[in-house]
Amino acid sequence: MNTAPELLSEHLCFGGTQRFYQHSARSTGLTMKYSVFLPPQRVIDDAGGKVPALIYLAGLTCNEETFMTKAGAQRLAATLGLALIAPDTSPRGANIPGETDSWDMGLAASFYLDAVQAPWAKNYRMETWLTAELLPLLADTLPVHTGRIGIFGHSMGGHGALTLALRHPSLFKSVSALAPICAPSQCPWGRKAFSGYLGADEAAWAAHDATALMAGMGAAPYPGGILIDQGLADKFLAEQLNPHLFEAACARAGQALQLRWHAGYDHGYYFISSFMADHLNHHARQLSE
């Protein structure tokens, strides 16, 4: 049984409610934070008391507030009847030596996996927290439909969304990403994080690499299709993101993928907010089926 979360604040937003929570997490051994947007109560009532939910995983240096304050998603989510949930990007308060030495490893840079290497393994168990603890907690405490949950994210969070969707297809009915790290085993960000969290055996990294996971699929796990948006002016595109590798893996697996390229757009939230409506509609269609 999950312990009750603590409501930190609540705000009226487009007729719905924007909330910020924290709870004591067994998986990480620390207090974890997450934010929730619920559509207007009349929408929830019209949906029989439960609405689809969309999990958003944010990128490096972000937290549970970033998406809700920068992405501009609540207006359309209120109309579509979607709940939005944004977890924090890492445990906080572990006080691991070196945890804050760099912005791409450690605090706010969990890569949404369960670390197996010391000193990270005790607290950096984000996959377990998200899939085995947070999702049941949401079902216990909020009017969300557990059979209609989608996942998406940006950059490191796009990596997290793709890999968690591929690793747990029974939990997520839809998936998309914005400028995701598509092949972390083959880029500096991913290699640094995987070495630290998972160890030197690169064969073990494939289980947390979206391109490698898709390459091992015997059938398309998301017949409704996956949506990825990528800006062509993104300074991280060539060295870190590699969407073309994921595209090729999807083609081999027969997985429908809409990879959209956008001239002039960079890596930040101006890009994200520009295409947010497309992602919400992508998920709303699949979560309504």
Side-chain angles (χ1 to χ4, degrees), residues 50-127:
K50 292 185 181 296
V51 292
L54 186 53
I55 310 291
Y56 177 87
L57 303 183
L60 294 165
T61 75
C62 296
N63 60 27
E64 77 285 353
E65 297 183 2
T66 310
F67 171 76
M68 297 300 185
T69 57
K70 289 188 174 183
Q74 292 96 330
R75 182 194 293 269
L76 183 55
T79 300
L80 294 173
L82 285 173
L84 303 173
I85 294 97
D88 202 353
T89 52
S90 78
R92 296 179 191 264
N95 298 319
I96 295 170
E99 187 179 30
T100 60
D101 286 356
S102 61
W103 63 276
D104 55 358
M105 174 78 185
L107 197 69
S110 71
F111 276 73
Y112 300 103
L113 49 76
D114 285 357
V116 298
Q117 292 287 109
W120 310 100
K122 179 181 178 182
N123 304 113
Y124 276 63
R125 304 183 65 240
M126 289 292 286
E127 181 173 5

Side-chain angles (χ1 to χ4, degrees), residues 5 23 25 48 53 59 70 75 77 98 129 132 137 139 147 152 180 194 198 207 216 233 235 255 277:
H23 82 113
K70 289 188 174 183
R75 182 194 293 269
W129 175 59
L137 180 65
F152 73 143
F194 283 6
L198 302 176
K235 65 181 180 181
Q255 170 62 58

Side-chain angles (χ1 to χ4, degrees), residues 198-215:
L198 302 176
D201 181 7
E202 296 189 17
W205 298 359
H208 301 279
D209 183 305
T211 295
L213 285 166
M214 184 60 74

Side-chain angles (χ1 to χ4, degrees), residues 7-280:
L7 178 63
L8 300 174
S9 66
E10 183 176 48
H11 316 272
L12 188 65
C13 184
F14 295 109
T17 54
Q18 177 64 60
R19 299 175 181 174
F20 296 89
Y21 289 98
Q22 66 181 17
H23 82 113
S24 297
R26 297 184 304 273
S27 51
T28 66
L30 296 166
T31 297
M32 300 296 295
K33 292 184 176 182
Y34 59 98
S35 59
V36 175
F37 172 76
L38 291 175
Q41 186 61 46
R42 59 174 175 75
V43 175
I44 297 173
D45 293 341
D46 288 346
K50 292 185 181 296
V51 292
L54 186 53
I55 310 291
Y56 177 87
L57 303 183
L60 294 165
T61 75
C62 296
N63 60 27
E64 77 285 353
E65 297 183 2
T66 310
F67 171 76
M68 297 300 185
T69 57
K70 289 188 174 183
Q74 292 96 330
R75 182 194 293 269
L76 183 55
T79 300
L80 294 173
L82 285 173
L84 303 173
I85 294 97
D88 202 353
T89 52
S90 78
R92 296 179 191 264
N95 298 319
I96 295 170
E99 187 179 30
T100 60
D101 286 356
S102 61
W103 63 276
D104 55 358
M105 174 78 185
L107 197 69
S110 71
F111 276 73
Y112 300 103
L113 49 76
D114 285 357
V116 298
Q117 292 287 109
W120 310 100
K122 179 181 178 182
N123 304 113
Y124 276 63
R125 304 183 65 240
M126 289 292 286
E127 181 173 5
T128 295
W129 175 59
L130 287 165
T131 61
E133 194 165 358
L134 182 60
L135 287 183
L137 180 65
L138 297 174
D140 288 345
T141 59
L142 295 173
V144 299
H145 193 306
T146 55
R148 295 182 175 180
I149 295 179
I151 189 167
F152 73 143
H154 167 243
S155 193
M156 175 189 71
H159 142 79
L162 293 174
T163 56
L164 292 179
L166 294 176
R167 286 170 59 82
H168 304 276
S170 64
L171 295 180
F172 303 107
K173 194 173 180 181
S174 58
V175 59
S176 72
L178 297 117
I181 303 171
C182 289
S185 299
Q186 302 182 56
C187 75
W189 280 343
R191 293 185 64 82
K192 178 179 178 178
F194 283 6
S195 296
Y197 295 139
L198 302 176
D201 181 7
E202 296 189 17
W205 298 359
H208 301 279
D209 183 305
T211 295
L213 285 166
M214 184 60 74
M217 292 286 172
Y222 288 92
I226 296 171
L227 172 64
I228 291 178
D229 280 300
Q230 176 61 60
L232 285 168
D234 188 328
K235 65 181 180 181
F236 302 115
L237 175 58
E239 185 177 28
Q240 304 284 9
L241 305 181
N242 294 311
H244 65 288
L245 298 179
F246 186 71
E247 182 180 36
C250 285
R252 290 191 294 270
Q255 170 62 58
L257 170 68
Q258 188 177 17
L259 173 58
R260 307 192 306 181
W261 301 92
H262 303 283
Y265 284 92
D266 61 20
H267 196 69
Y269 270 82
Y270 296 115
F271 156 67
I272 293 168
S273 60
S274 296
F275 301 101
M276 183 52 53
D278 294 339
H279 284 257
L280 296 187

